[in-house]
Amino acid sequence: QVQLQESGPGLVKPSQTLSLTCTVSGGSISSGSYYWSWIRQPAGKGLEWIGRIYTSGSTNYNPSLKSRVTISVDTSKNQFSLKLSSVTAADTAVYYCARERFGEFYNWFDPWGQGTLVTVSS
Amino acid sequence: DIQMTQSPSSLSASVGDRVTITCRASQSISSYLNWYQQKPGKAPKLLIYAASSLQSGVPSRFSGSGSGTDFTLTISSLQPEDFATYYCQQSYSTPMYSFGQGTKLEIK
């Protein structure tokens, strides 16, 4: 059973770059019809899709964040990563990594990592 | 962008009740609609995909219906473990996904 686990600093200073890694266990990140996504949730608020990567390295980003986001993959380590630059307090959130299953027609997120809280503060 | 609107935002119910949560899309999304359950401090869990398909391992008291712009998640008989926040998510405009604002289901 595939499991995902986020890791990275819990505190980032304003204007700096947020960096998180998601480690995939229980299966290869390169197998199957999957994208690998990042999603965030500010405290008490809803979910916002950040972006995704395929193991080929192909990426898609939320247009609202595109200028600041980079998602990369390291298949040798079974990991993918998120970098968000020029952060502000508005980027404070719980960040989740998730596997996106895509089929002939339908896509969905399953499973998700447990999430990691990133606070932007000086 | 496709906007997803859930109603109600919160709901109080009792164990054994039948509960329905509604999700409306700002444009037709066919059956490209997923439902997730999130408990406090936990990651969302997939319940329903493609509007009405039950994810493996999810109890059969959960069901989804709808197509086009209007969708419902129904819990036929509430159990104590079902008190959580529920989110809908459209996968029509791949990959520009969007989620509803959530419906918090509380114990009456």
Side-chain angles (χ1 to χ4, degrees):
Chain A
Q1 180 172 339
V2 171
Q3 294 182 312
L4 288 72
Q5 177 69 59
E6 304 88 353
S7 60
L11 181 63
V12 181
K13 289 181 168 43
S15 79
Q16 294 191 342
T17 297
L18 177 160
S19 296
L20 296 174
T21 296
C22 183
T23 300
V24 179
S25 59
S28 171
I29 199 171
S30 301
S31 66
S33 301
Y34 303 114
Y35 288 98
W36 303 91
S37 284
W38 288 97
I39 297 162
R40 69 181 182 178
Q41 184 174 36
K45 296 187 178 180
L47 298 155
E48 179 181 34
W49 177 77
I50 299 170
R52 71 181 186 182
I53 190 165
Y54 191 61
T55 50
S56 65
S58 173
T59 54
N60 301 102
Y61 299 129
N62 187 323
S64 69
L65 298 169
K66 187 175 183 178
S67 63
R68 300 193 291 130
V69 173
T70 302
I71 297 176
S72 59
V73 64
D74 187 336
T75 55
S76 67
K77 294 182 178 179
N78 233 29
Q79 296 175 333
F80 62 108
S81 298
L82 168 71
K83 291 189 185 298
L84 181 65
S85 64
S86 305
V87 297
T88 69
D91 295 309
T92 294
V94 175
Y95 286 75
Y96 296 100
C97 56
R99 185 180 71 174
E100 178 191 341
R101 163 78 164 86
F102 67 90
E104 184 177 1
F105 298 109
Y106 301 104
N107 296 16
W108 57 84
F109 297 109
D110 180 69
W112 299 53
Q114 66 182 28
T116 187
L117 174 63
V118 179
T119 301
V120 178
S121 175
S122 55
Chain B
D1 294 1
I2 299 177
Q3 307 302 317
M4 307 301 294
T5 303
Q6 290 181 230
S7 60
S9 296
S10 63
L11 173 61
S12 295
S14 301
V15 173
D17 283 354
R18 179 183 179 89
V19 167
T20 296
I21 297 169
T22 297
C23 178
R24 175 164 290 176
S26 60
Q27 68 180 72
S28 177
I29 58 169
S30 185
S31 296
Y32 292 82
L33 192 283
N34 306 318
W35 288 99
Y36 301 86
Q37 175 194 65
Q38 185 178 35
K39 296 182 179 179
K42 300 295 186 181
K45 171 189 172 184
L46 177 69
L47 298 176
I48 302 284
Y49 61 93
S52 60
S53 296
L54 192 67
Q55 171 68 348
S56 175
V58 174
S60 59
R61 62 181 179 272
F62 290 92
S63 64
S65 65
S67 67
T69 60
D70 294 319
F71 302 86
T72 58
L73 173 70
T74 299
I75 309 172
S76 61
S77 179
L78 270 175
Q79 298 302 301
E81 61 267 30
D82 299 338
F83 292 94
T85 299
Y86 293 84
Y87 293 93
C88 62
Q89 175 241 329
Q90 63 83 15
S91 61
Y92 179 83
S93 62
T94 306
M96 193 47 228
Y97 303 121
S98 50
F99 294 83
Q101 82 279 14
T103 295
K104 186 173 184 179
L105 180 53
E106 298 175 304
I107 301 174
K108 183 182 287 184

